[in-house]
Amino acid sequence: METNLLILPGLGNSGDKHWQTFWHKKFENSIRLVQDNWDEPVREEWLQRLNEEVVKLDKPTILVAHSLAVSLVNHWAASNSNKNIVGALLVAPADVDSPQHTPEIIRNFAPMPISKLPFPSIVVASENDPYASFERKQYFAEKWGSDFVNVGQKGHINSDSDLEYWEEGQLILQKLIDRIS
């Protein structure tokens, strides 16, 4: 099965050193969603932009979401559907409900939806991510019906983690593709 990747960056976008940027360069079958306002996200605007991209899909597509975009995927799935969305790789979900872990600017993405996702998914979590407790990410995975992968001590799995092409993540993605196929 030929699948596309729809790369969904979180708050602030994914910079030049972020694994999502490396993946977008590597995978010709990837599309990168661009939001109008990366630094002051408004849930409804981000959902609208995601919907605009999803309706254009003509092939099976896996959503590759990082941080705040994990919340975006779950909000989208709670009220939308598209048969071409066949799975989601949900990396380092930011706990939008927690003032202790996330900035006030993303509180409009709260509450975090906790409904089972209508497609296969994997939550990838780091033990020392400052944007959500490890237990909370396990809870999200359970509620979403997602497989859960612990990648150890990799911070927020972002540019600061210096992962470049993040080969471990590519193997996790391949497991999801194999499961869908």
Side-chain angles (χ1 to χ4, degrees), residues 14-131:
S14 296
D16 292 341
K17 293 183 174 184
H18 198 288
W19 61 268
Q20 284 186 317
T21 302
F22 282 90
W23 283 21
H24 183 58
K25 289 177 192 170
K26 177 179 179 170
F27 297 115
E28 292 179 12
N29 62 332
S30 71
I31 304 158
R32 186 181 180 120
L33 187 69
V34 177
Q35 297 289 356
D36 289 332
N37 191 338
W38 289 111
D39 299 321
E40 295 177 5
V42 176
R43 183 173 77 190
E44 291 310 313
E45 292 173 4
W46 279 36
L47 279 168
Q48 181 179 342
R49 180 60 50 86
L50 177 56
N51 242 340
E52 289 168 3
E53 199 61 46
V54 167
V55 297
K56 296 184 220 172
L57 298 175
D58 60 354
K59 283 186 179 171
T61 301
I62 293 173
L63 303 174
V64 179
H66 179 259
S67 192
L68 182 61
V70 173
S71 173
L72 176 67
V73 167
N74 282 277
H75 281 291
W76 180 86
S79 57
N80 298 278
S81 66
N82 182 305
K83 65 180 176 39
N84 286 316
I85 301 295
V86 296
L89 184 66
L90 306 170
V91 180
D95 190 349
V96 297
D97 299 328
S98 173
Q100 175 187 352
H101 292 98
T102 54
E104 186 63 34
I105 197 79
I106 66 167
R107 208 64 61 229
N108 71 94
F109 281 75
M112 179 72 87
I114 53 170
S115 303
K116 186 175 186 321
L117 288 168
F119 38 75
S121 59
I122 298 176
V123 170
V124 181
S126 166
E127 295 169 356
N128 62 338
D129 184 349
Y131 294 99

